[in-house]
Amino acid sequence: MSQLKLIAMSVVLTLLVWVSADQLLTETVTLQVTIEPVAAAGRESFKISRAGDRPQKFQITLSGPQRTLAPFREGGISTIDLPIEARTTGLVSVKLLDALRKNRARFSGLTVDSVTPEYLEAVVDREITVSLPIWVDKGTLDYDVDPSVEPDQVEVTISERRLNAIAEEKRCLVLHVENLLRNRRKGELLRFSVPLEAKVAGIEAKVAPAQVELRATVRELHITDTIAAVPVRFTGSVDLWNEFTIELRDQSTLLTQPITVKGPAEIVARLVSGDIKVAGLITLNRDDTLDLGRYRAKKPEFALPAGVQLAEPNAVQSVEFQMVRLR
């Protein structure tokens, strides 16, 4: 019986020696991994990414007990998530040896001996919402009422890092209104909704509201031009024409005259081309039949379209005539 106990104790002692030896035996392994920076717990509002387009390979040397190290040697790891304690946005440089040693849960029971390269460059960013003004670009049009928008400020959600890189005077949304107003009615107050381009200095953003109300009055383009030959006619009551006729002092004169007008460019152009007809009228009454045989002079009056007027009223020529009784 004593012999059996001795044998059992020997077996137990041997196992303990093997286990202790296994635990005390330290080995090393070198891994090629990609390290991905991620936001640490409680910093989820930050977006963290590698600086650069391509993943960078790092060489990590681990040491520890054989049994603890075995899974890393056998299966290996290809990617390690590295929590970053972000507090501000921008470019950060992380010393990997210190950072990985703090990440004990990932390498429990092992020691991180070295990391090559030593540093990881990461970009820290987050989206923020700020109130920014709208700058209205008037373009080359002329206005009676300058264009404005309502509201004149909107809520913009944008990358904080990129917003910080924009100069203060350029932190706005730009609304180009020339193409929106060029073919609209001139001289009237216009009010209509327009969409905003969701960009700040070329940086994509989210905008609320997405539309604003644009208000403006585009000034009509006025020009001055001459209608070469405007016909002049006499007008009066039927009774007057039943008794009298008109005799011009200059019988050879064609009863037309040029007039210079000013007004909206489109209407003036149509007057000059003849698309819109105009005539000069000399209105007669019974007073013009007094002193028969005597010539008198009257200026014609011209019925012009709304918005158009004579540019040189004093230049209108008088017409000399006399009333002649019919026999």
Side-chain angles (χ1 to χ4, degrees):
M1 188 69 178
S2 299
Q3 188 175 1
L4 289 173
K5 289 182 177 180
L6 183 61
I7 293 172
M9 290 178 65
S10 298
V11 170
V12 171
L13 288 171
T14 301
L15 289 173
L16 289 172
V17 170
W18 285 352
V19 170
S20 298
D22 183 63
Q23 292 297 322
L24 293 172
L25 182 61
T26 299
E27 294 186 358
T28 62
V29 65
T30 299
L31 307 174
Q32 294 286 335
V33 299
T34 298
I35 299 178
E36 292 288 353
V38 297
R43 304 289 178 181
E44 288 82 1
S45 63
F46 288 92
K47 296 180 180 180
I48 302 178
S49 58
R50 298 184 310 271
D53 298 330
R54 297 181 180 180
Q56 184 179 2
K57 290 292 184 181
F58 293 85
Q59 182 174 290
I60 300 178
T61 301
L62 303 174
S63 63
Q66 184 182 42
R67 180 172 296 179
T68 307
L69 200 61
F72 291 91
R73 177 184 290 112
E74 294 169 2
I77 54 175
S78 59
T79 303
I80 295 174
D81 289 341
L82 181 63
I84 303 294
E85 290 285 345
R87 286 179 172 80
T88 59
T89 59
L91 187 66
V92 297
S93 182
V94 181
K95 189 173 183 179
L96 289 174
L97 185 59
D98 295 341
L100 290 175
R101 283 178 175 176
K102 289 180 181 178
N103 192 14
R104 295 179 180 178
R106 190 67 180 84
F107 303 108
S108 179
L110 298 175
T111 300
V112 181
D113 294 325
S114 65
V115 185
T116 306
E118 293 184 54
Y119 291 89
L120 169 71
E121 300 292 326
V123 177
V124 180
D125 199 5
R126 64 179 172 180
E127 285 192 338
I128 59 172
T129 299
V130 294
S131 181
L132 294 181
I134 300 170
W135 181 66
V136 180
D137 181 0
K138 298 191 297 184
T140 61
L141 300 178
D142 292 324
Y143 301 91
D144 289 322
V145 176
D146 282 341
S148 61
V149 292
E150 177 64 34
D152 59 3
Q153 290 198 343
V154 291
E155 297 298 306
V156 178
T157 302
I158 190 171
S159 155
E160 182 179 15
R161 183 176 65 88
R162 292 189 171 185
L163 180 64
N164 289 339
I166 300 173
E168 285 285 348
E169 64 272 14
K170 293 185 178 180
R171 293 184 187 181
C172 62
L173 285 88
V174 180
L175 179 62
H176 301 279
V177 301
E178 181 168 354
N179 289 337
L180 298 171
L181 296 171
R182 182 178 297 280
N183 296 320
R184 299 273 180 163
R185 290 181 65 88
K186 309 297 189 297
E188 294 183 5
L189 180 61
L190 305 170
R191 301 169 67 111
F192 57 96
S193 294
V194 295
L196 294 172
E197 184 180 22
K199 288 183 179 181
V200 180
I203 305 299
E204 297 285 346
K206 298 173 185 175
V207 179
Q211 292 190 335
V212 294
E213 183 179 73
L214 173 63
R215 291 174 294 186
T217 301
V218 182
R219 181 178 297 153
E220 288 186 297
L221 176 61
H222 284 69
I223 63 172
T224 300
D225 207 343
T226 299
I227 308 173
V230 178
V232 176
R233 299 194 295 267
F234 290 91
T235 182
S237 66
V238 174
D239 292 343
L240 196 65
W241 296 125
N242 285 338
E243 296 182 42
F244 299 94
T245 186
I246 299 296
E247 182 180 287
L248 299 177
R249 181 182 289 276
D250 186 352
Q251 296 290 338
S252 63
T253 300
L254 182 62
L255 204 53
T256 64
Q257 62 176 273
I259 59 172
T260 300
V261 295
K262 61 181 180 181
E266 181 182 353
I267 300 177
V268 170
R270 294 181 64 192
L271 284 168
V272 172
S273 68
D275 287 344
I276 298 178
K277 305 297 184 183
V278 64
L281 296 179
I282 299 175
T283 303
L284 302 177
N285 53 48
R286 284 290 174 180
D287 290 341
D288 296 308
T289 64
L290 301 176
D291 299 327
L292 294 180
R294 182 176 65 86
Y295 284 95
R296 62 189 63 214
K298 279 191 172 185
K299 287 187 176 184
E301 295 181 354
F302 299 91
L304 297 170
V308 180
Q309 58 186 343
L310 292 173
E312 301 174 2
N314 294 332
V316 175
Q317 301 171 18
S318 296
V319 176
E320 291 189 275
F321 67 93
Q322 70 171 340
M323 304 290 291
V324 178
R325 191 182 297 274
L326 295 172
R327 300 184 189 279

